[in-house]
Amino acid sequence: MARRAAADAGLAGAHAGQFVSGGKKGAPKAGRGSRYGWIKWLFIVPVLAFIVVQLYFFLQIWWWVDHNPSSTAFMREQLSALQDKNPNATIQQTWVPYNRISNNLKRAIIASEDANFSEHEGVDWEALQKAYEKNNKKQKVVAGGSTITQQLAKNLFLSGSRSYVRKGQELIITYMLESLMDKQRIFEIYLNVVEFGTGIFGAEAAARHYYHVSAAGLSAAQAAKLAVMLPNPRFYDRHRDTGYLNRRTGVILRRMGAAELP
C-alpha cells in the first residue's frame, strides 16, 4: 500500500509539472498574439480610412446629380491664395443651366480638350498613350491626355499637386462620376466650375470677364479662344494675344463643327 501511495503521489506530481510547464509555454504565445494584433490594426486602420474617404466622395457626387456644387477644391484653394495677398479678394462664378451656355463654347471645349467625350467611359486610354509618347519624345510634359470627366474630378475634390496617389484617386472619382451622372450633367458641372483665369470660374464669369457678354451670347471665335486658354488660364488671363493663342484658336474653330455634344 505504501508503494502504491508513493506511485500515486509521483504521478500527481508529474501532472502538476506538466500543468505548470504548459502554463509557462502559453505565456509567450499570448504575447505574440498581442503583438500581431497591433500589426494587423496597422493595416486595417488605413484601409478603413480609405473606404470612408471613398464613401464621402461617392455620397457627395450622388448629391450633385440633381444639386449644384456651391464651390470646389480648386475654387477654395485659389481663394485662399488670393486672400493671402488681399484679405478682401473674392472669386467670380455664377451658375447657369446647360441650355443657357452657348453651343459654341461646348463644341470648342470638346474639340480642344476631349474630342471623344461622348464616347468614352471617363478615361480615354488612347489619348493618354499618345500624351505619354509625346511627353517622352519632348522630354517634358507638353500634353496631358485627361478627359473632361477627369478634369472635373480633380477640380471638385483634389489639389493641383501631381503624384501617382493623387492620379489614382482622380481615376476612382472619375468612374464614380461616370457611373452616377449622364454626360450632359458632367459637362454642365464642368462648364460652371472650370477655371478660366485668376479668380474666374465657370462659363458665365468667363464670358463677362473677357467679352462683357453672357455665356449664351459667346460667338464661335470667342468660344474657341476661351477653350484654348483652359490648360493655362491664369497665364492667358495676363497674356491674351500671344501667337500660340491665336494660332490654336484658328485650329479649334476649324474642328468645332465635328464636335459631338452630349
Side-chain angles (χ1 to χ4, degrees), residues 9 37 40 42 44 70 87 127 132-133 136 146-147 153 159-160 173 180 198 206 209 215 218 224 233 259:
K40 179 176 67 176
L42 287 176
I44 290 176
S70 58
Y132 171 79
E133 292 172 357
N136 196 42
S146 291
T147 64
S159 70
I173 297 171
L180 291 173
T198 303
H209 179 71
L218 288 165

Side-chain angles (χ1 to χ4, degrees), residues 8 44 61 104 125 147 159 183 189 215 217 245:
D8 288 344
I44 290 176
I61 293 168
N104 288 323
W125 296 105
T147 64
S159 70
K183 289 287 188 178
I189 297 176
L245 192 59

Side-chain angles (χ1 to χ4, degrees), residues 25-180:
K25 290 180 180 178
K29 289 182 181 178
R32 285 198 298 272
S34 177
R35 184 169 67 250
Y36 292 150
W38 280 107
I39 294 173
K40 179 176 67 176
W41 279 105
L42 287 176
F43 289 97
I44 290 176
V45 170
V47 170
L48 289 175
F50 175 80
I51 292 172
V52 169
V53 170
Q54 304 317 306
L55 181 60
Y56 165 76
F57 290 150
F58 185 86
L59 292 175
Q60 187 72 79
I61 293 168
W62 175 78
W63 176 255
W64 286 334
V65 169
D66 50 14
H67 295 78
N68 299 329
S70 58
S71 67
T72 69
F74 259 37
M75 288 182 194
R76 293 187 292 272
E77 183 179 47
Q78 188 172 143
L79 179 60
S80 178
L82 291 172
Q83 289 182 341
D84 284 343
K85 299 177 181 178
N86 175 12
N88 297 319
T90 60
I91 60 173
Q92 298 177 48
Q93 192 250 0
T94 302
W95 187 280
V96 288
Y98 188 78
N99 59 7
R100 285 176 49 195
I101 300 174
S102 169
N103 282 346
N104 288 323
L105 184 61
K106 297 169 189 172
R107 293 185 188 281
I109 289 177
I110 288 176
S112 179
E113 295 291 297
D114 188 1
N116 298 320
F117 175 64
S118 296
E119 301 171 8
H120 62 65
E121 297 180 352
V123 179
D124 190 338
W125 296 105
E126 183 178 347
L128 281 176
Q129 179 63 27
K130 289 180 179 178
Y132 171 79
E133 292 172 357
K134 190 172 184 178
N135 294 337
N136 196 42
K137 184 177 180 180
K138 297 287 186 178
Q139 295 296 308
K140 61 180 180 180
V141 178
V142 295
S146 291
T147 64
I148 285 172
T149 313
Q150 286 177 270
Q151 292 178 44
L152 178 59
K154 178 177 64 177
N155 290 348
L156 287 172
F157 294 110
L158 307 175
S159 70
S161 63
R162 294 183 178 183
S163 70
Y164 289 114
V165 172
R166 200 224 67 177
K167 195 67 176 178
Q169 181 63 81
E170 177 189 301
L171 291 175
I172 294 173
I173 297 171
T174 293
Y175 284 115
M176 288 183 187
L177 286 165
E178 290 278 344
S179 66
L180 291 173

